[in-house]
Amino acid sequence: MRQFIPQTLIFIALYTVLGNLVYSQELELQGTVDYGNQKPRPSVEIAAGTLSYFGDVGRLNGNAQYSQLNWGYSITMRNPISEAFSLDFSALFGTVRHQENLPGQMVNFETPIQMGSASITYNFNNFLPKQRSITPYLSVGIATMEFNPKADMRDADGNLYYVWDNGTLMNAPQKGAKSDEARPVYRDYNYETDWREIQGGSGAFSLRTLAIPLAVGANITVNDKWKVRMGASYLHTFTDNLDGVNSETPRLSGVNKRNDALLFSSIGIAYNLHHTRKNPTNYDKLNNDYFPGLDIDDEDADGVVDIGDKCPATPEGVKVDVFGCPVDGDKDGVPDYLDDELNTPTGILVNLKGVTATDEELAKMYQLYIDPAGSPNYDKSQTYTADVNRNKVNMASKNKGFRVEVINSDELSPEEIARLLSIADIKAIETENGMEFYIDEIKNRYDAVQKFLQLNKLHIPARILQVEDGEYFELSQSEIEHAAIFEDEIDENVIVFRVQLGAFKYKLSRNVFKEVSDLIVIEGNDSMTRYVSGSFNTMQDAATHKVNLLLKGYEGAFVTAYRGGKRITLKEAGATVDAKEEDITPKVSNNINPNLVKYTLQLGTFAGRVPAETLGKYMSLGNVRPVRNTEGVTNYVYGSFNNLADAKAALSDVKEKGFDEVLITGEFNDKSITAEEAMKIRGEN
């Protein structure tokens, strides 16, 4: 340990010097990660975990092995050197123990581990998405390791341990002359014997070796400063003496000549060391003699130092005034680089593009003005910071907006269903209380009220919810009326096309429709459950979606059209159809290809790993496969049968082989469904 601590300090000092040299050079890192206005940040990490041992002890063909839990911890300093690579310096400390009982003797060891390493780490950053929370990594390096294996061969009274055939520790050999006088002894777990003395002297082998650490794992970003790091590092050493045992060890045979190794499985936390980069390209615009002691950083590189910049984070290349704000030549509140009308007359109100506002836009501005939810602040901020990525992220994280929900959506009549499906942006979600229909992602109160009025005009009861940091607050009637002084005209000639997969007398599980996007499930008061997908402006887009569904086995899926709250024929919607009039009367239709529905036998269900013994029994049947369902549970199933009779025959055969908890279940497109659903779709119930 006394030798190892100076080595560790040398590693850390070397890292610090190299890091400071890199950062003092004000380099523009071409092709590296976009660090904004900061340099790549070095980080410090502390980790703890277990040390797994791979060596001779435990592989000597003894009659018993005892592996103890070995703990270790590490300290690491990392320095990014490019977009995808970093240079790491680490120190690892721990203790490794292991034991094996052989005929007549016990082999064990304990050794401290102290290791210092330098590694290159690859983080896949050159092709992974920049906005992510989990980053995998691979690492390889070189290390120097110190160890000192010792053995526990004597008890507290100095008696040697002898292992008898029944596993008892005695103070004399079982077949020795004094075996009749032998008595039990007990381990004191004091590793008092140096393995080098056993091998023939203190110079038998070196207590220092080189090692190659190979690591894999992932970083989980908590915030801008902290990361959680989970990984495993395989330490391949260049010695066979980590445990003190080698091919020359007395009284041991069958010892392999392979080098020993360790595996450090750990979890740690890393802290990023912030280091702000000054921009030297703008220093010549200021005279430091006039600003003694002031911070002259210019974060947005617009030529105005941060301390006097009233508009920080100005986009690159934008012309600014003496206060660092984008130039606005016509004084309409929209800077020239965003202004589509550069010479607006004085006093004229403009929209966000700097163009003279229309009457409709003036009405919306008034609604934003009276809106207490803070929407005007959002729109105003877009004028100045729309090009700054981090501001976009901050705005999104506030999770503000509005949502319009349909009230009393249970058992709707066919007429009410047609009204609902005629709204292009209606969505559906299944909750504990049934299906809920809603319109979300509405940015301001004005647009939310217009959606509300549209639903009311179609006689669909609804309510408006304001979203504030993930919480929902319902707007009162007076608030809605106050914001409804303007009403947009609704074009009743707008046609919405959808694709109906079927109308069933029974409700099917989500697994049947797992591959269907934008699915809306509506239970009507006519005892039919309708399954509808998509919302399209043209017949061509709807027809393309229908073909994709037909290829997935939803046989007979058909396009439907809605206008002004009513279901209309495709001919009325302007589509070219057969001369025969289309029947739009609600009727039961099973549009799922029964040939894609199979039966199988479910052997067992497991939320985690299946026990090895159980899996072995399953595999003995043959034709067994795992199927993972939507809840993350794995079902082990046997066989695939085209009809219920074959499935029942197989069920009897499997039960005769000792599998009592087997049951018949169904599959559609390789997705698990219930046997009842399979029978209904195939018409075998």
Side-chain angles (χ1 to χ4, degrees):
M1 176 67 76
R2 289 195 299 270
Q3 294 177 338
F4 183 74
I5 291 178
Q7 293 177 1
T8 304
L9 294 177
I10 291 173
F11 271 116
I12 295 174
L14 180 61
Y15 167 83
T16 304
V17 171
L18 290 175
N20 287 332
L21 286 175
V22 171
Y23 292 134
S24 65
Q25 294 303 315
E26 305 301 338
L27 297 177
E28 294 293 333
L29 300 178
Q30 300 297 328
T32 62
V33 177
D34 181 10
Y35 291 98
N37 295 303
Q38 291 180 336
K39 294 181 177 180
R41 301 169 182 170
S43 62
V44 180
E45 174 199 313
I46 298 177
T50 59
L51 283 164
S52 301
Y53 152 79
F54 305 95
D56 297 302
V57 179
R59 299 181 180 181
L60 301 173
N61 300 320
N63 54 21
Q65 301 175 11
Y66 303 91
S67 179
Q68 296 173 282
L69 190 61
N70 302 312
W71 293 101
Y73 67 93
S74 67
I75 302 173
T76 304
M77 301 191 74
R78 291 188 171 84
N79 176 44
I81 55 177
S82 74
E83 178 183 9
F85 291 92
S86 67
L87 178 62
D88 303 344
F89 295 91
S90 298
L92 172 65
F93 306 88
T95 301
V96 177
R97 304 179 187 87
H98 204 65
Q99 173 186 335
E100 181 176 3
N101 287 348
L102 302 175
Q105 63 176 314
M106 175 174 57
V107 180
N108 59 59
F109 79 95
E110 175 188 81
T111 181
I113 298 295
Q114 301 103 28
M115 185 187 78
S117 65
S119 302
I120 294 292
T121 297
Y122 175 60
N123 60 18
F124 302 90
N125 199 50
N126 53 336
F127 63 85
L128 287 178
K130 300 302 180 186
Q131 299 294 330
R132 63 183 187 274
S133 59
I134 299 178
T135 301
Y137 70 85
L138 296 172
S139 176
V140 63
I142 187 70
T144 176
M145 179 185 296
E146 292 184 0
F147 59 99
N148 189 7
K150 294 188 177 183
D152 177 18
M153 292 190 166
R154 298 178 182 272
D155 65 6
D157 297 326
N159 298 303
L160 284 170
Y161 302 128
Y162 294 92
V163 182
W164 285 27
D165 293 344
N166 60 4
T168 304
L169 291 181
M170 306 294 284
N171 65 347
Q174 185 173 0
K175 297 180 180 180
K178 298 182 178 181
S179 60
D180 294 339
E181 302 174 2
R183 57 180 179 80
V185 294
Y186 303 94
R187 286 193 62 186
D188 59 357
Y189 293 93
N190 177 28
Y191 294 83
E192 75 291 323
T193 306
D194 193 324
W195 264 105
R196 291 191 301 171
E197 297 295 334
I198 300 174
Q199 299 283 36
S202 59
F205 56 81
S206 174
L207 297 179
R208 181 179 298 170
T209 183
L210 292 177
I212 297 178
L214 303 172
V216 63
N219 290 317
I220 302 173
T221 300
V222 178
N223 54 39
D224 192 44
K225 296 181 180 179
W226 296 95
K227 292 181 180 179
V228 174
R229 189 177 180 95
M230 295 184 292
S233 179
Y234 180 78
L235 308 174
H236 176 77
T237 73
F238 289 85
T239 181
D240 189 27
N241 297 303
L242 199 65
D243 47 20
V245 177
N246 57 43
S247 58
E248 304 299 326
T249 303
R251 301 190 307 277
L252 290 181
S253 60
V255 178
N256 65 68
K257 296 183 179 181
R258 293 191 298 269
N259 291 339
D260 299 332
L262 296 173
L263 178 67
F264 182 47
S265 304
S266 64
I267 181 170
I269 187 167
Y271 177 74
N272 291 335
L273 302 174
H274 292 256
H275 189 96
T276 303
R277 179 180 63 208
K278 297 181 179 179
N279 192 335
T281 61
N282 293 286
Y283 286 172
D284 56 353
K285 300 178 182 179
L286 297 170
N287 189 333
N288 292 350
D289 294 338
Y290 291 96
F291 302 97
L294 292 181
D295 183 358
I296 58 173
D297 285 354
D298 181 11
E299 186 178 5
D300 54 7
D302 61 357
V304 180
V305 290
D306 295 343
I307 194 171
D309 197 336
K310 292 185 177 181
C311 296
T314 302
E316 183 179 357
V318 173
K319 186 178 180 181
V320 299
D321 57 23
V322 294
F323 301 107
C325 293
V327 172
D328 180 13
D330 54 8
K331 307 298 181 184
D332 61 358
V334 179
D336 289 352
Y337 81 99
L338 294 175
D339 200 333
D340 291 346
E341 185 181 274
L342 294 176
N343 297 310
T344 305
T346 304
I348 299 298
L349 294 176
V350 297
N351 59 21
L352 294 178
K353 295 182 179 180
V355 179
T356 302
T358 64
D359 291 341
E360 180 183 8
E361 289 172 333
L362 290 172
K364 289 187 177 181
M365 290 179 188
Y366 174 73
Q367 293 299 326
L368 293 173
Y369 172 75
I370 65 173
D371 187 354
S375 297
N377 292 333
Y378 175 77
D379 281 17
K380 182 178 179 182
S381 70
Q382 285 185 319
T383 302
Y384 298 101
T385 62
D387 293 332
V388 184
N389 289 332
R390 67 170 178 272
N391 287 332
K392 283 185 177 181
V393 174
N394 291 337
M395 289 304 303
S397 66
K398 293 179 181 178
N399 198 13
K400 291 183 178 180
F402 294 86
R403 175 187 179 114
V404 179
E405 287 188 352
V406 175
I407 302 174
N408 300 327
S409 57
D410 296 334
E411 296 187 351
L412 302 174
S413 67
E415 293 78 15
E416 291 172 324
I417 293 174
R419 295 174 200 158
L420 204 60
L421 294 178
S422 67
I423 302 171
D425 47 4
I426 198 73
K427 298 178 182 179
I429 187 172
E430 189 170 8
T431 67
E432 296 178 353
N433 301 321
M435 294 300 300
E436 290 186 1
F437 302 95
Y438 62 93
I439 305 171
D440 65 351
E441 298 182 3
I442 306 174
K443 292 182 179 179
N444 57 65
R445 180 175 297 186
Y446 179 86
D447 291 340
V449 169
Q450 296 306 314
K451 293 293 183 183
F452 174 82
L453 295 176
Q454 181 184 0
L455 292 174
N456 276 359
K457 195 167 185 177
L458 294 174
H459 306 290
I460 300 175
R463 63 175 181 169
I464 302 177
L465 299 178
Q466 179 179 325
V467 186
E468 188 80 26
D469 295 326
E471 299 289 335
Y472 291 85
F473 307 95
E474 184 175 356
L475 266 63
S476 66
Q477 187 62 33
S478 61
E479 289 176 308
I480 295 175
E481 293 174 355
H482 187 62
I485 59 175
F486 297 96
E487 182 175 354
D488 293 343
E489 291 187 9
I490 300 174
D491 187 355
E492 296 185 355
N493 293 319
V494 173
I495 299 174
V496 177
F497 295 94
R498 299 185 183 274
V499 178
Q500 182 166 312
L501 285 79
F504 299 84
K505 279 289 186 183
Y506 45 83
K507 189 175 181 181
L508 298 173
S509 71
R510 280 278 176 174
N511 269 0
V512 177
F513 303 96
K514 189 173 182 180
E515 297 184 3
V516 180
S517 60
D518 301 326
L519 182 68
I520 297 179
V521 183
I522 306 179
E523 297 182 50
N525 61 6
D526 53 2
S527 300
M528 286 192 289
T529 300
R530 295 164 176 80
Y531 293 85
V532 181
S533 173
S535 174
F536 307 95
N537 296 324
T538 66
M539 178 66 186
Q540 182 179 359
D541 291 340
T544 300
H545 187 58
K546 182 191 78 171
V547 171
N548 291 333
L549 293 174
L550 292 176
L551 295 175
K552 293 178 180 179
Y554 302 100
E555 194 173 78
F558 58 93
V559 178
T560 58
Y562 304 87
R563 181 177 61 199
K566 296 181 180 180
R567 167 85 180 274
I568 61 174
T569 65
L570 297 182
K571 187 175 182 180
E572 290 175 311
T576 303
V577 295
D578 296 335
K580 183 180 179 181
E581 185 65 24
E582 178 187 358
D583 183 10
I584 60 174
T585 305
K587 55 185 177 296
V588 175
S589 59
N590 182 350
N591 293 326
I592 298 177
N593 186 349
N595 295 326
L596 297 179
V597 177
K598 308 291 183 182
Y599 296 96
T600 187
L601 302 185
Q602 180 176 300
L603 302 174
T605 301
F606 302 89
R609 181 179 297 178
V610 59
E613 181 180 356
T614 303
L615 182 60
K617 291 178 59 179
Y618 290 167
M619 293 299 105
S620 67
L621 289 173
N623 197 17
V624 173
R625 64 189 188 282
V627 178
R628 193 170 180 84
N629 65 20
T630 55
E631 288 77 28
V633 175
T634 301
N635 298 326
Y636 281 83
V637 299
Y638 166 73
S640 180
F641 310 99
N642 293 323
N643 55 67
L644 186 61
D646 291 346
K648 289 182 177 180
L651 177 66
S652 299
D653 181 58
V654 170
K655 284 189 173 182
E656 288 180 0
K657 295 179 180 180
F659 296 87
D660 298 327
E661 299 181 358
V662 183
L663 54 88
I664 298 176
T665 186
E667 288 184 324
F668 173 68
N669 276 339
D670 298 324
K671 304 295 187 301
S672 294
I673 61 176
T674 65
E676 291 74 12
E677 288 173 333
M679 289 187 289
K680 289 175 180 177
I681 296 173
R682 293 185 60 89
E684 293 184 316
N685 54 329

